[in-house]
Amino acid sequence: MPDQLIVCKSCGFSVDEEKRDGETGGGHLLKQLETLYEQWPRQAELTIETTGCLCICEQPCAIAYVGTGKPTYLFTDLDPTTCAADLLTAAELYLDCDDGMVPCFKLPDALQAHRTARIPPAC
C-alpha cells in the first residue's frame, strides 16, 4: 500500500477565514496538490487522500503524512495558497526514509515551523 498525504478538506484558509469564493482552504490546497501531482513522478509511491476533518480546527490548514510502519506527521497552520510544492518535496523526504523519520531541518524552510506532531507508527 502506498504512503498517503491526507488533506483536511474542511479546513479554512485561516482561523478567521473559513472560505474564499465559496471554497475552503483545504479544498483549495487539494486542487493545488492535484495539479502538481499530475506531473509528479512518484505517484505510485504516494496517494493524495482527503478526510472530512483532522480535528485541529484551531490551526487550519492541516495535512498528514501516513505510511505503513512509519510515524504519521501532522502539519498545521499552512497557507493553502503557497504550500503545495513544498508538501510534495516533504513527501519525497518521507518516501525516501524507510523508517519515515524526517528531521525537521531537512524539510523545506516554509514547512519547518508547521510540523505539529509526529505520531509513532502502530505496532
Side-chain angles (χ1 to χ4, degrees), residues 3 42 45 65-71 73 89-107 115 118:
D3 292 349
R42 300 186 72 177
E45 299 172 75
Y65 294 103
V66 179
T68 303
K70 294 181 176 182
Y73 285 93
T89 298
E92 290 177 359
L93 295 169
Y94 188 67
L95 292 171
D96 290 342
C97 293
D98 291 336
D99 64 1
M101 298 294 284
V102 178
C104 193
F105 72 89
K106 287 191 176 184
L107 294 169
R115 189 175 78 174
R118 182 180 69 214

Side-chain angles (χ1 to χ4, degrees), residues 2-3 5 13 26 31 33-35 49 56-58 63 86 92-93 97 105:
D3 292 349
L5 190 167
F13 280 86
K31 284 182 184 176
L33 283 166
E34 288 174 337
T35 298
E49 306 292 337
I56 189 120
C57 302
E58 66 280 0
I63 66 94
D86 285 337
E92 290 177 359
L93 295 169
C97 293
F105 72 89

